């Protein structure tokens, strides 16, 4: 499920403040019929803003996978996100380099 699916044009930006975003995240969790799934991945924006905080506080998170790129600024932002996740005590936190992940996906697609 993606908020982008609800937009008139997929190129339209979503310009919402924290409370609206938090409400949509909670509504996606409670109102979408997910069925019986073993794993659910929640793709979040980078950093320590309203979306990650809402997810950590509202959803039954057992672990976190952080995908990062080998750049200094990205490393700093991801480091803060990892510390935030650890401080929220939401299970194991794993960091994956995006290049490594792309290689795995390419190998699976062959």
């Amino acid at each position: 499920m993606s908020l982008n699916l609800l937009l008139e044009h997929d190129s339209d930006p979503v310009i919402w403040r924290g409370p609206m975003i938090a409400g949509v995240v909670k509504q996606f969790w409670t109102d979408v019929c997910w069925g019986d799934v073993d794993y659910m991945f929640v793709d979040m924006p980078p950093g320590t803003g309203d979306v990650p905080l809402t997810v950590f506080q509202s959803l039954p998170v057992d672990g976190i996978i952080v995908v990062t790129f080998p750049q200094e600024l990205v490393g700093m932002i991801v480091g803060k996100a990892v510390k935030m996740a650890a401080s929220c005590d939401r299970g194991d936190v794993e960091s994956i380099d995006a290049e490594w992940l792309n290689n795995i996906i390419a190998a699976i697609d062959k």
Side-chain angles (χ1 to χ4, degrees):
M1 181 62 185
S2 171
L3 183 58
N4 210 46
L5 296 172
L6 305 175
L7 299 175
E8 185 173 346
H9 304 286
D10 63 3
S11 61
D12 289 346
V14 178
I15 306 171
W16 291 351
R17 294 197 181 271
M20 180 71 85
I21 296 169
V24 169
V25 168
K26 291 177 188 175
Q27 187 173 5
F28 277 179
W29 178 252
T30 58
D31 293 357
V32 173
C33 184
W34 296 108
D36 186 24
V37 297
D38 293 326
Y39 298 96
M40 179 168 298
F41 293 90
V42 179
D43 184 13
M44 298 186 292
T48 57
D50 290 318
V51 173
L53 186 58
T54 299
V55 168
F56 295 155
Q57 293 177 340
S58 304
L59 277 58
V61 176
D62 292 330
I64 297 154
I65 299 172
V66 180
V67 179
T68 184
F69 293 89
Q71 297 167 346
E72 188 174 332
L73 179 59
V74 173
M76 179 189 70
I77 294 168
V78 167
K80 289 180 180 187
V82 167
K83 285 182 180 179
M84 177 183 175
S87 72
C88 291
D89 195 26
R90 302 308 294 179
D92 295 333
V93 179
E94 297 293 333
S95 181
I96 298 173
D97 182 271
E99 185 176 341
W100 177 83
L101 184 60
N102 285 334
N103 291 337
I104 297 296
I105 292 169
I108 291 170
D109 286 341
K110 286 184 180 178

XYZ file of all heavy atoms in Angstrom:
842
model
N 0.852 -1.161 0.000
C 0.000 0.000 0.000
C 0.903 1.230 0.000
O 1.917 1.260 0.674
C -0.895 -0.024 1.248
C -1.830 1.125 1.342
S -2.928 1.077 -0.072
C -3.838 2.538 0.111
N 0.513 2.196 -0.756
C 1.302 3.412 -0.840
C 0.373 4.609 -0.924
O -0.651 4.559 -1.615
C 2.199 3.370 -2.085
O 2.807 4.621 -2.292
N 0.738 5.656 -0.259
C -0.016 6.893 -0.362
C -0.029 7.379 -1.805
O -0.990 7.983 -2.264
C 0.593 7.956 0.561
C -0.113 9.296 0.623
C -1.563 9.119 1.060
C 0.598 10.231 1.560
N 1.008 7.058 -2.542
C 1.108 7.464 -3.941
C -0.044 6.898 -4.780
O -0.458 7.494 -5.767
C 2.452 7.037 -4.520
C 2.917 7.970 -5.615
O 2.854 9.178 -5.460
N 3.365 7.411 -6.714
N -0.580 5.751 -4.380
C -1.705 5.152 -5.091
C -2.990 5.968 -4.947
O -3.928 5.800 -5.722
C -1.953 3.726 -4.592
C -0.826 2.728 -4.836
C -1.130 1.417 -4.120
C -0.618 2.506 -6.323
N -3.039 6.833 -3.952
C -4.236 7.631 -3.687
C -4.187 9.022 -4.317
O -5.163 9.762 -4.253
C -4.450 7.762 -2.174
C -4.520 6.437 -1.403
C -4.606 6.688 0.085
C -5.677 5.596 -1.894
N -3.054 9.365 -4.911
C -2.898 10.681 -5.517
C -3.510 10.711 -6.915
O -3.537 9.694 -7.617
C -1.417 11.048 -5.619
C -0.641 11.127 -4.308
C 0.831 11.390 -4.595
C -1.220 12.186 -3.391
N -3.975 11.885 -7.320
C -4.519 12.024 -8.667
C -3.438 11.774 -9.721
O -3.671 11.107 -10.726
C -5.126 13.421 -8.843
C -5.821 13.605 -10.171
C -6.556 14.927 -10.278
O -6.766 15.609 -9.270
O -6.922 15.284 -11.420
N -2.247 12.321 -9.477
C -1.109 12.132 -10.383
C 0.056 11.606 -9.546
O 0.368 12.180 -8.500
C -0.704 13.450 -11.057
C -1.830 14.110 -11.795
N -2.305 13.649 -12.994
C -2.582 15.191 -11.469
C -3.307 14.416 -13.403
N -3.497 15.352 -12.494
N 0.708 10.559 -10.011
C 1.779 9.977 -9.205
C 2.982 10.891 -9.043
O 3.853 10.641 -8.218
C 2.199 8.611 -9.735
C 2.776 8.661 -11.142
O 2.917 9.753 -11.716
O 3.090 7.577 -11.668
N 3.029 11.972 -9.784
C 4.120 12.931 -9.638
C 3.784 14.053 -8.644
O 4.625 14.905 -8.372
C 4.479 13.536 -11.003
O 3.357 14.212 -11.543
N 2.552 14.059 -8.124
C 2.152 15.088 -7.155
C 2.877 14.872 -5.831
O 2.954 13.738 -5.338
C 0.637 15.034 -6.901
C -0.180 15.512 -8.082
O 0.407 16.128 -8.994
O -1.406 15.277 -8.086
N 3.388 15.940 -5.225
C 4.030 15.801 -3.913
C 2.977 15.672 -2.812
O 1.841 16.122 -2.964
C 4.811 17.110 -3.763
C 4.024 18.092 -4.560
C 3.451 17.317 -5.731
N 3.353 15.056 -1.720
C 2.501 14.997 -0.537
C 3.110 15.963 0.471
O 4.196 15.726 0.985
C 2.444 13.565 0.035
C 1.599 13.541 1.298
C 1.898 12.603 -1.007
N 2.412 17.057 0.705
C 2.935 18.110 1.575
C 2.065 18.163 2.823
O 1.075 18.892 2.884
C 2.960 19.472 0.843
C 3.736 19.346 -0.467
C 3.574 20.544 1.733
C 3.641 20.551 -1.375
N 2.421 17.322 3.791
C 1.648 17.196 5.027
C 2.560 17.380 6.224
O 3.738 17.036 6.189
C 1.003 15.831 5.130
C -0.092 15.569 4.151
C -0.684 16.453 3.302
C -0.730 14.322 3.912
N -1.647 15.841 2.566
C -1.699 14.522 2.911
C -0.587 13.045 4.434
C -2.521 13.509 2.445
C -1.390 12.036 3.978
C -2.356 12.272 2.999
N 1.991 17.842 7.279
C 2.716 17.953 8.543
C 2.607 16.647 9.320
O 1.825 15.771 8.990
C 2.175 19.118 9.357
C 2.437 20.458 8.697
C 2.264 21.578 9.701
N 2.493 22.867 9.064
C 3.669 23.451 8.984
N 4.730 22.854 9.485
N 3.800 24.612 8.411
N 3.390 16.552 10.372
C 3.497 15.337 11.165
C 2.205 14.673 11.596
O 2.042 13.463 11.411
N 1.254 15.398 12.192
C 0.030 14.738 12.657
C -0.762 14.068 11.531
O -1.311 12.975 11.723
C -0.777 15.874 13.285
C 0.244 16.883 13.686
C 1.318 16.795 12.639
N -0.802 14.666 10.363
C -1.516 14.074 9.228
C -0.805 12.805 8.759
O -1.436 11.778 8.515
C -1.619 15.073 8.081
C -2.351 14.536 6.878
S -4.108 14.350 7.131
C -4.645 15.991 6.737
N 0.505 12.875 8.664
C 1.292 11.704 8.249
C 1.133 10.577 9.262
O 0.929 9.420 8.895
C 2.778 12.083 8.075
C 2.939 13.089 6.940
C 3.632 10.852 7.834
C 4.307 13.719 6.865
N 1.221 10.915 10.545
C 1.072 9.906 11.593
C -0.296 9.238 11.500
O -0.410 8.006 11.644
C 1.273 10.538 12.967
N -1.327 10.009 11.234
C -2.671 9.453 11.104
C -2.783 8.489 9.936
O -3.418 7.434 10.049
N -2.160 8.824 8.816
C -2.206 7.951 7.641
C -1.436 6.658 7.908
O -1.901 5.567 7.553
C -1.666 8.676 6.392
C -1.452 7.708 5.243
C -2.622 9.779 5.970
N -0.290 6.744 8.553
C 0.480 5.539 8.880
C -0.369 4.612 9.756
O -0.475 3.411 9.493
C 1.806 5.890 9.594
C 2.467 4.660 10.188
C 2.754 6.589 8.634
N -1.000 5.161 10.776
C -1.851 4.349 11.653
C -3.047 3.786 10.890
O -3.435 2.629 11.091
C -2.333 5.185 12.830
C -1.241 5.554 13.801
C -1.781 6.442 14.897
C -0.689 6.979 15.779
N -1.192 7.923 16.775
N -3.641 4.589 10.011
C -4.798 4.135 9.245
C -4.406 3.017 8.285
O -5.157 2.045 8.114
C -5.430 5.288 8.486
C -6.724 4.911 7.802
C -7.436 6.098 7.177
O -6.922 7.217 7.165
N -8.613 5.839 6.662
N -3.257 3.123 7.644
C -2.788 2.038 6.773
C -2.674 0.746 7.571
O -3.015 -0.333 7.099
C -1.441 2.370 6.145
C -1.508 3.226 4.911
C -0.350 3.607 4.266
C -2.710 3.663 4.388
C -0.383 4.391 3.114
C -2.767 4.442 3.248
C -1.596 4.809 2.613
N -2.177 0.834 8.791
C -2.000 -0.365 9.605
C -3.341 -0.961 10.024
O -3.537 -2.169 9.980
C -1.147 -0.050 10.830
C -0.977 -1.232 11.722
C -1.537 -1.428 12.950
C -0.218 -2.412 11.455
N -1.168 -2.645 13.455
C -0.360 -3.277 12.549
C 0.572 -2.827 10.375
C 0.252 -4.510 12.614
C 1.178 -4.067 10.435
C 1.023 -4.891 11.548
N -4.289 -0.114 10.406
C -5.542 -0.619 10.956
C -6.616 -0.884 9.906
O -7.435 -1.783 10.081
C -6.121 0.365 11.996
O -6.331 1.639 11.380
C -5.193 0.507 13.187
N -6.642 -0.131 8.813
C -7.767 -0.206 7.879
C -7.495 -0.988 6.598
O -8.431 -1.326 5.890
C -8.237 1.205 7.500
C -8.848 1.943 8.684
O -8.963 1.349 9.770
O -9.217 3.120 8.507
N -6.239 -1.256 6.278
C -5.929 -2.036 5.081
C -5.999 -3.519 5.455
O -5.491 -3.938 6.491
C -4.535 -1.686 4.525
C -4.139 -2.616 3.392
C -4.504 -0.239 4.061
N -6.634 -4.309 4.622
C -6.745 -5.747 4.857
C -5.446 -6.413 4.369
O -5.299 -6.722 3.184
C -7.958 -6.305 4.118
S -8.225 -8.042 4.462
N -4.516 -6.616 5.274
C -3.205 -7.144 4.916
C -3.222 -8.653 4.735
O -2.331 -9.209 4.107
C -2.168 -6.762 5.982
C -1.955 -5.293 6.094
C -2.363 -4.493 7.120
C -1.318 -4.432 5.151
N -1.999 -3.185 6.872
C -1.358 -3.118 5.671
C -0.713 -4.640 3.919
C -0.821 -2.035 5.001
C -0.174 -3.549 3.261
C -0.227 -2.265 3.806
N -4.179 -9.324 5.307
C -4.186 -10.780 5.220
C -3.187 -11.371 6.202
O -2.686 -10.708 7.103
N -2.894 -12.648 6.024
C -1.975 -13.353 6.902
C -0.566 -13.273 6.312
O -0.233 -13.999 5.384
C -2.421 -14.812 7.047
C -1.605 -15.570 8.066
O -1.029 -14.937 8.968
O -1.538 -16.809 7.957
N 0.244 -12.382 6.830
C 1.601 -12.210 6.316
C 2.619 -12.566 7.403
O 2.375 -12.359 8.586
C 1.850 -10.762 5.817
C 0.952 -10.426 4.647
C 1.650 -9.749 6.927
N 3.743 -13.133 6.965
C 4.813 -13.464 7.901
C 5.707 -12.265 8.180
O 6.230 -12.104 9.276
C 5.663 -14.612 7.354
C 4.894 -15.911 7.296
O 4.043 -16.141 8.186
O 5.124 -16.698 6.368
N 5.894 -11.433 7.143
C 6.750 -10.255 7.262
C 6.058 -9.075 6.606
O 5.374 -9.226 5.601
C 8.100 -10.461 6.551
C 8.909 -11.584 7.119
C 8.864 -12.851 6.554
C 9.722 -11.379 8.225
C 9.608 -13.893 7.075
C 10.471 -12.409 8.752
C 10.404 -13.666 8.176
O 11.150 -14.684 8.695
N 6.266 -7.907 7.168
C 5.793 -6.689 6.541
C 6.934 -5.672 6.572
O 7.553 -5.455 7.611
C 4.580 -6.103 7.252
C 4.123 -4.812 6.582
S 2.541 -4.226 7.127
C 1.473 -5.544 6.636
N 7.216 -5.100 5.420
C 8.255 -4.080 5.314
C 7.586 -2.725 5.176
O 6.712 -2.549 4.328
C 9.152 -4.353 4.099
C 9.969 -5.601 4.246
C 9.491 -6.821 3.810
C 11.215 -5.547 4.853
C 10.231 -7.979 3.957
C 11.969 -6.700 5.002
C 11.478 -7.919 4.558
N 7.994 -1.793 6.007
C 7.475 -0.428 5.956
C 8.598 0.461 5.450
O 9.609 0.636 6.120
C 6.992 0.038 7.349
C 6.465 1.464 7.287
C 5.931 -0.907 7.899
N 8.419 0.986 4.249
C 9.424 1.863 3.644
C 9.201 3.267 4.192
O 8.137 3.847 4.017
C 9.269 1.839 2.124
C 10.333 2.647 1.411
O 11.337 3.020 2.053
O 10.155 2.913 0.214
N 10.196 3.779 4.884
C 10.059 5.087 5.531
C 11.079 6.072 4.981
O 12.125 5.666 4.494
C 10.261 4.943 7.039
C 9.248 4.048 7.706
S 9.403 4.028 9.502
C 10.965 3.216 9.755
N 10.774 7.353 5.091
C 11.775 8.347 4.703
C 12.960 8.285 5.663
O 12.814 7.819 6.797
C 11.028 9.677 4.824
C 9.897 9.413 5.745
C 9.539 7.967 5.590
N 14.123 8.729 5.204
C 15.298 8.664 6.068
C 15.191 9.625 7.242
O 14.442 10.597 7.200
C 16.436 9.068 5.133
C 15.788 9.901 4.085
C 14.405 9.342 3.909
N 15.920 9.310 8.279
C 16.011 10.225 9.401
C 15.193 9.796 10.601
O 14.824 8.641 10.761
N 14.900 10.782 11.437
C 14.273 10.527 12.735
C 12.996 11.339 12.903
O 12.663 11.780 13.999
C 15.257 10.874 13.864
O 15.653 12.240 13.719
C 16.480 9.978 13.832
N 12.259 11.522 11.821
C 11.075 12.375 11.860
C 9.820 11.672 12.338
O 9.854 10.630 13.003
N 8.693 12.255 11.970
C 7.391 11.801 12.447
C 7.033 10.382 11.994
O 6.445 9.621 12.753
C 6.289 12.762 11.985
C 6.377 14.098 12.686
O 6.611 14.101 13.903
O 6.201 15.135 12.018
N 7.356 10.021 10.758
C 6.967 8.697 10.269
C 7.682 7.591 11.049
O 7.022 6.682 11.580
C 7.191 8.560 8.750
C 6.945 7.141 8.294
C 6.286 9.519 7.994
N 9.017 7.608 11.156
C 9.656 6.542 11.939
C 9.175 6.512 13.392
O 8.927 5.436 13.941
C 11.148 6.872 11.863
C 11.299 7.711 10.653
C 10.012 8.472 10.522
N 9.023 7.668 13.993
C 8.573 7.709 15.384
C 7.177 7.106 15.521
O 6.914 6.310 16.431
C 8.597 9.144 15.915
C 8.287 9.304 17.401
C 9.256 8.500 18.249
C 8.331 10.780 17.777
N 6.274 7.437 14.609
C 4.920 6.872 14.635
C 4.965 5.362 14.445
O 4.277 4.622 15.149
C 4.044 7.517 13.540
O 3.956 8.912 13.778
C 2.653 6.910 13.523
N 5.775 4.897 13.499
C 5.886 3.455 13.264
C 6.410 2.759 14.518
O 5.855 1.746 14.961
C 6.785 3.165 12.044
C 7.148 1.684 11.964
C 6.085 3.603 10.766
N 7.464 3.281 15.118
C 8.047 2.654 16.301
C 7.073 2.632 17.474
O 7.072 1.702 18.271
C 9.337 3.364 16.723
C 10.452 3.262 15.721
C 11.444 4.211 15.690
C 10.507 2.226 14.805
C 12.488 4.134 14.778
C 11.542 2.128 13.884
C 12.531 3.098 13.878
N 6.246 3.669 17.592
C 5.338 3.768 18.722
C 3.987 3.099 18.482
O 3.284 2.792 19.441
C 5.117 5.240 19.091
C 6.346 5.908 19.642
C 6.141 7.387 19.944
O 5.227 8.014 19.431
N 7.000 7.932 20.784
N 3.603 2.876 17.240
C 2.241 2.425 16.945
C 2.141 1.016 16.361
O 1.103 0.369 16.507
C 1.577 3.387 15.959
O 1.580 4.697 16.443
N 3.157 0.548 15.667
C 3.097 -0.751 15.004
C 3.902 -1.776 15.792
O 4.883 -1.420 16.447
C 3.652 -0.660 13.580
C 2.712 -0.165 12.486
C 2.157 1.201 12.757
C 3.395 -0.192 11.150
N 3.513 -3.038 15.715
C 4.257 -4.081 16.437
C 5.550 -4.448 15.694
O 5.627 -5.450 14.993
C 3.273 -5.251 16.464
C 2.418 -5.054 15.257
C 2.315 -3.563 15.064
N 6.554 -3.631 15.849
C 7.828 -3.804 15.152
C 8.716 -4.763 15.942
O 8.956 -4.559 17.127
C 8.538 -2.438 14.971
C 9.899 -2.616 14.336
C 7.670 -1.488 14.172
N 9.200 -5.819 15.257
C 10.092 -6.789 15.895
C 11.549 -6.576 15.519
O 12.440 -7.112 16.152
C 9.709 -8.211 15.487
C 8.370 -8.633 16.060
O 8.006 -8.157 17.141
O 7.684 -9.434 15.410
N 11.797 -5.842 14.457
C 13.155 -5.605 14.006
C 13.167 -4.559 12.909
O 12.128 -4.224 12.342
N 14.322 -4.042 12.632
C 14.456 -2.953 11.673
C 15.624 -3.248 10.740
O 16.702 -3.657 11.193
C 14.687 -1.621 12.408
C 13.462 -1.311 13.264
C 14.953 -0.486 11.436
C 13.744 -0.455 14.436
N 15.391 -3.045 9.444
C 16.452 -3.142 8.442
C 16.649 -1.752 7.867
O 15.697 -1.132 7.394
C 16.071 -4.120 7.315
C 15.851 -5.526 7.870
C 17.148 -4.116 6.224
C 15.288 -6.490 6.868
N 17.860 -1.274 7.914
C 18.183 0.053 7.400
C 19.044 -0.135 6.153
O 20.078 -0.786 6.210
C 18.955 0.883 8.448
C 19.292 2.250 7.903
C 18.151 1.004 9.733
N 18.590 0.414 5.031
C 19.357 0.344 3.788
C 20.047 1.688 3.605
O 19.411 2.734 3.660
C 18.451 0.032 2.583
C 19.260 -0.015 1.300
C 17.720 -1.288 2.802
N 21.349 1.642 3.370
C 22.125 2.876 3.299
C 23.042 2.881 2.080
O 23.227 1.872 1.423
C 22.946 3.059 4.591
O 23.615 4.315 4.535
C 23.966 1.947 4.772
N 23.582 4.036 1.793
C 24.539 4.226 0.715
C 25.863 4.676 1.323
O 25.878 5.340 2.358
C 24.039 5.295 -0.269
C 22.824 4.865 -1.030
C 21.549 5.100 -0.535
C 22.945 4.203 -2.233
C 20.424 4.692 -1.225
C 21.833 3.790 -2.936
C 20.568 4.036 -2.432
N 26.997 4.333 0.705
C 28.301 4.671 1.277
C 28.687 6.134 1.034
O 29.588 6.438 0.270
C 29.254 3.705 0.561
C 28.603 3.458 -0.758
C 27.125 3.500 -0.489
N 27.952 7.026 1.663
C 28.253 8.452 1.578
C 28.246 9.015 2.994
O 27.443 8.591 3.835
C 27.219 9.174 0.720
C 27.203 8.693 -0.714
C 25.976 9.172 -1.475
O 25.011 9.635 -0.896
N 26.022 9.026 -2.789
N 29.107 9.982 3.245
C 29.284 10.490 4.601
C 27.988 11.058 5.192
O 27.611 10.728 6.315
C 30.383 11.563 4.609
C 30.766 11.997 6.006
C 31.956 12.953 5.993
O 32.779 12.887 5.070
O 32.039 13.751 6.933
N 27.286 11.892 4.441
C 26.054 12.496 4.953
C 24.986 11.425 5.203
O 24.307 11.433 6.226
C 25.518 13.557 3.983
C 24.224 14.253 4.392
C 24.387 14.963 5.732
C 23.777 15.232 3.318
N 24.869 10.494 4.272
C 23.903 9.406 4.439
C 24.251 8.592 5.680
O 23.375 8.229 6.462
C 23.863 8.509 3.182
C 22.989 7.293 3.407
C 23.387 9.299 1.974
N 25.523 8.327 5.865
C 25.962 7.578 7.041
C 25.573 8.268 8.337
O 25.155 7.617 9.301
N 25.696 9.591 8.370
C 25.318 10.334 9.567
C 23.817 10.218 9.827
O 23.372 9.954 10.947
C 25.703 11.807 9.423
C 25.320 12.643 10.640
S 25.539 14.416 10.394
C 24.247 14.769 9.225
N 23.002 10.380 8.778
C 21.543 10.314 8.916
C 21.110 8.915 9.334
O 20.282 8.742 10.234
C 20.857 10.749 7.608
C 21.122 12.230 7.346
C 19.360 10.455 7.645
C 20.748 12.695 5.947
N 21.687 7.908 8.692
C 21.354 6.523 9.025
C 21.792 6.200 10.451
O 21.072 5.525 11.192
C 21.979 5.550 8.006
C 21.921 4.118 8.500
C 21.272 5.693 6.673
N 22.950 6.699 10.838
C 23.409 6.476 12.207
C 22.426 7.017 13.233
O 22.138 6.373 14.250
N 21.884 8.190 12.968
C 20.876 8.762 13.867
C 19.610 7.909 13.886
O 19.011 7.688 14.944
C 20.530 10.187 13.444
C 21.648 11.174 13.706
C 21.245 12.573 13.266
C 22.360 13.564 13.529
N 21.937 14.954 13.265
N 19.198 7.431 12.713
C 17.996 6.589 12.641
C 18.195 5.283 13.405
O 17.289 4.812 14.098
C 17.637 6.311 11.181
N 19.388 4.700 13.291
C 19.690 3.461 14.009
C 19.667 3.708 15.515
O 19.106 2.916 16.276
C 21.047 2.882 13.545
C 21.541 1.794 14.479
C 20.926 2.367 12.114
N 20.264 4.819 15.958
C 20.239 5.151 17.393
C 18.810 5.379 17.873
O 18.439 4.981 18.976
C 21.098 6.383 17.672
C 22.570 6.118 17.634
C 23.366 7.360 17.968
C 24.844 7.074 17.919
N 25.646 8.267 18.220
N 17.988 6.028 17.044
C 16.588 6.252 17.405
C 15.869 4.917 17.559
O 15.148 4.700 18.532
C 15.888 7.097 16.344
C 14.420 7.304 16.600
S 13.713 8.251 15.235
C 12.000 8.223 15.671
N 16.063 4.017 16.607
C 15.412 2.706 16.658
C 15.850 1.941 17.907
O 15.029 1.335 18.597
C 15.742 1.916 15.399
N 17.142 1.992 18.194
C 17.647 1.296 19.376
C 17.077 1.897 20.651
O 16.719 1.164 21.581
C 19.175 1.343 19.389
N 16.948 3.211 20.695
C 16.409 3.853 21.901
C 14.930 3.571 22.087
O 14.418 3.617 23.198
C 16.670 5.363 21.868
O 15.834 5.985 20.916
N 14.230 3.254 20.996
C 12.803 2.901 21.086
C 12.622 1.424 21.426
O 11.488 0.961 21.564
C 12.090 3.227 19.772
S 11.948 4.994 19.449
N 13.726 0.672 21.517
C 13.713 -0.737 21.885
C 12.727 -1.540 21.042
O 11.810 -2.162 21.540
C 13.395 -0.888 23.374
C 13.715 -2.286 23.887
O 14.588 -2.952 23.300
O 13.065 -2.709 24.856
N 12.932 -1.491 19.710
C 12.014 -2.148 18.779
C 12.617 -3.378 18.121
O 12.316 -3.686 16.980
C 11.537 -1.157 17.720
C 10.842 0.060 18.266
C 9.740 -0.270 19.213
N 8.676 -0.957 18.515
C 7.582 -1.398 19.086
N 7.418 -1.248 20.368
N 6.657 -2.007 18.384
N 13.452 -4.088 18.809
C 14.014 -5.316 18.264
C 15.381 -5.096 17.649
O 16.048 -4.091 17.891
N 15.803 -6.063 16.862
C 17.117 -6.013 16.225
C 17.156 -4.925 15.165
O 16.181 -4.684 14.463
C 17.443 -7.346 15.565
C 17.592 -8.461 16.580
O 17.952 -8.157 17.735
O 17.349 -9.616 16.220
N 18.300 -4.275 15.043
C 18.519 -3.262 14.018
C 19.661 -3.744 13.131
O 20.754 -4.015 13.621
C 18.867 -1.887 14.626
C 19.108 -0.870 13.543
C 17.777 -1.427 15.583
N 19.402 -3.865 11.833
C 20.415 -4.299 10.874
C 20.592 -3.227 9.812
O 19.623 -2.630 9.363
C 19.996 -5.614 10.200
C 19.874 -6.781 11.149
C 21.197 -7.217 11.746
O 22.249 -7.008 11.104
O 21.179 -7.768 12.854
N 21.817 -3.000 9.404
C 22.116 -2.033 8.359
C 22.643 -2.763 7.131
O 23.496 -3.638 7.249
C 23.148 -1.018 8.850
O 23.422 -0.069 7.860
N 22.113 -2.409 5.967
C 22.503 -3.050 4.711
C 22.923 -1.969 3.731
O 22.237 -0.962 3.566
C 21.332 -3.847 4.106
C 20.899 -4.960 5.057
C 21.689 -4.410 2.753
C 19.653 -5.680 4.606
N 24.048 -2.184 3.064
C 24.502 -1.273 2.024
C 23.654 -1.481 0.773
O 23.434 -2.611 0.339
C 25.975 -1.533 1.727
C 26.510 -0.586 0.681
O 26.407 -0.921 -0.512
O 26.992 0.484 1.061
N 23.159 -0.422 0.182
C 22.266 -0.503 -0.979
C 22.918 -1.202 -2.161
O 22.259 -1.945 -2.893
C 21.792 0.887 -1.375
N 24.206 -0.996 -2.374
C 24.894 -1.653 -3.491
C 24.888 -3.167 -3.303
O 24.626 -3.922 -4.229
C 26.329 -1.132 -3.620
C 27.047 -1.691 -4.827
C 28.437 -1.092 -4.991
O 28.709 -0.022 -4.420
O 29.248 -1.719 -5.697
N 25.137 -3.616 -2.092
C 25.092 -5.044 -1.787
C 23.685 -5.590 -2.035
O 23.508 -6.638 -2.632
C 25.506 -5.263 -0.338
C 25.439 -6.692 0.106
C 26.373 -7.663 -0.075
C 24.350 -7.312 0.795
N 25.944 -8.845 0.468
C 24.707 -8.659 1.013
C 23.120 -6.856 1.262
C 23.870 -9.555 1.668
C 22.283 -7.741 1.908
C 22.661 -9.078 2.101
N 22.675 -4.846 -1.594
C 21.285 -5.270 -1.780
C 20.934 -5.351 -3.263
O 20.291 -6.326 -3.707
C 20.340 -4.304 -1.064
C 18.869 -4.647 -1.077
C 18.618 -5.995 -0.408
C 18.066 -3.556 -0.402
N 21.359 -4.390 -4.048
C 21.104 -4.420 -5.488
C 21.748 -5.635 -6.146
O 21.179 -6.245 -7.057
C 21.592 -3.134 -6.161
C 20.676 -1.973 -5.872
O 19.494 -2.146 -5.609
N 21.227 -0.771 -5.944
N 22.952 -6.007 -5.708
C 23.616 -7.209 -6.237
C 22.823 -8.467 -5.915
O 22.699 -9.361 -6.747
C 25.042 -7.318 -5.711
C 25.944 -6.246 -6.267
O 25.687 -5.676 -7.327
N 27.013 -5.950 -5.551
N 22.279 -8.546 -4.712
C 21.463 -9.697 -4.326
C 20.196 -9.763 -5.167
O 19.830 -10.817 -5.686
C 21.099 -9.618 -2.814
C 22.343 -9.686 -1.945
C 20.083 -10.695 -2.450
C 23.100 -10.992 -2.028
N 19.529 -8.633 -5.352
C 18.301 -8.594 -6.158
C 18.602 -8.983 -7.594
O 17.858 -9.750 -8.203
C 17.650 -7.189 -6.067
C 17.114 -6.950 -4.657
C 16.533 -7.045 -7.108
C 16.696 -5.528 -4.387
N 19.708 -8.494 -8.149
C 20.086 -8.838 -9.532
C 20.335 -10.341 -9.664
O 19.945 -10.960 -10.644
C 21.312 -8.050 -9.956
N 20.973 -10.930 -8.656
C 21.247 -12.366 -8.683
C 19.946 -13.173 -8.617
O 19.810 -14.190 -9.273
C 22.173 -12.745 -7.529
N 18.990 -12.707 -7.850
C 17.699 -13.393 -7.716
C 16.924 -13.300 -9.026
O 16.276 -14.262 -9.451
C 16.880 -12.799 -6.568
C 17.538 -13.148 -5.226
C 15.429 -13.290 -6.601
C 16.961 -12.422 -4.048
N 17.010 -12.163 -9.703
C 16.268 -11.941 -10.937
C 16.791 -12.771 -12.107
O 16.105 -12.938 -13.102
C 16.278 -10.465 -11.332
C 15.364 -9.644 -10.432
O 14.488 -10.230 -9.782
O 15.529 -8.406 -10.410
N 18.015 -13.290 -12.005
C 18.608 -14.057 -13.120
C 17.978 -15.415 -13.250
O 17.506 -16.048 -12.440
C 20.110 -14.195 -12.932
C 20.827 -12.887 -13.212
C 22.308 -13.091 -13.108
C 23.007 -11.785 -13.400
N 24.439 -11.875 -13.279
